[in-house]
Amino acid sequence: MRTERLPATIRVLVVASFLVALGYGIVAPALPVFASSFDVGVAAASAVVSAFAVFRLAFAPVSGRLVGRIGERRVFCGGLLVVAVSSGACAFAASYGQLLVFRALGGIGSTMFTVAAASLLVRLSPAHLRGRVTGTWATAFLLGSVAGPVQPVSHAPTACVPTRSKATEPSWDTPPAVRGQPFPHGSIRMMGRRRSSPDFREISAEPGGRG
């Protein structure tokens, strides 16, 4: 028996989920090393990673209210944009405090993306495919999370972290955040191309589903 194909918009969400997770995986392994270049201790360097998770947790309820107020698509694309911009800004942070703030903003953007994507999946999935759709989306995100850290660009010795010395200003050679940044941007472009699809027009017409 032939398996029914997932709707096109669902496939876009699945690919976007994979690309975003891949970007996270590429950036995350280098962040503690990057933070330690500001002459901070191990705990402070690890806090850069923790800040992302803490602000994901704190902003989750707000993201849900935003979805109800302005619509899934706007929150989804807005979250991806916040992640992309904050990731790029991390590469040019001039102090440890700036790096911490940029990572916290990335956590906010990440939870916006996740909450809006979950709402979109429920709204766009046919009832008989809902379990399969959710499993496929989660699998794509987890595969991206696994694949990111093992990519050559995530641990290349000459491009992993900025070089810094006490006597000179920092200089960068393809910082890790810049290498992970194209993935959220690609996801935003894909969502924009689906903007005129019947699925998204249906969302826009429904109460609480303004896109």
Side-chain angles (χ1 to χ4, degrees):
M1 184 176 178
R2 187 176 179 180
T3 303
E4 184 177 348
R5 193 177 186 186
L6 297 179
T9 306
I10 297 298
R11 295 199 302 271
V12 170
L13 288 172
V14 168
V15 174
S17 173
F18 174 80
L19 291 177
V20 168
L22 187 66
Y24 293 158
I26 289 174
V27 172
L31 279 173
V33 185
F34 188 12
S36 66
S37 70
F38 291 104
D39 297 323
V40 298
V42 174
S46 301
V48 173
V49 177
S50 299
F52 185 89
V54 168
F55 276 81
R56 268 182 62 95
L57 173 64
F59 205 74
V62 180
S63 297
R65 289 195 290 271
L66 278 176
V67 166
R69 179 168 295 183
I70 65 175
E72 295 100 331
R73 185 173 56 81
R74 287 194 179 100
V75 177
F76 184 95
C77 292
L80 290 176
L81 183 61
V82 170
V83 169
V85 172
S86 63
S87 296
C90 283
F92 304 102
S95 67
Y96 171 78
Q98 287 183 9
L99 181 62
L100 200 62
V101 168
F102 293 148
R103 284 302 291 168
L105 290 174
I108 291 174
S110 173
T111 201
M112 289 172 64
F113 151 78
T114 304
V115 171
S119 181
L120 277 171
L121 287 173
V122 171
R123 185 179 291 275
L124 297 178
S125 302
H128 66 289
L129 292 177
R130 202 156 287 162
R132 182 179 154 209
V133 164
T134 305
T136 302
W137 183 81
T139 299
F141 189 87
L142 293 173
L143 283 175
S145 300
V146 171
V150 301
Q151 296 300 307
V153 293
S154 68
H155 48 76
T158 59
C160 187
V161 293
T163 57
R164 181 187 299 273
S165 68
K166 294 181 179 180
T168 62
E169 290 298 318
S171 62
W172 288 271
D173 181 14
T174 317
V178 171
R179 285 182 267 114
Q181 191 182 18
F183 296 103
H185 278 308
S187 302
I188 293 170
R189 286 197 296 271
M190 284 196 305
M191 289 300 295
R193 289 171 184 171
R194 299 300 305 169
R195 184 174 181 175
S196 60
S197 72
D199 292 326
F200 278 113
R201 286 200 295 268
E202 182 180 349
I203 291 174
S204 301
E206 292 183 16
R210 295 181 297 276

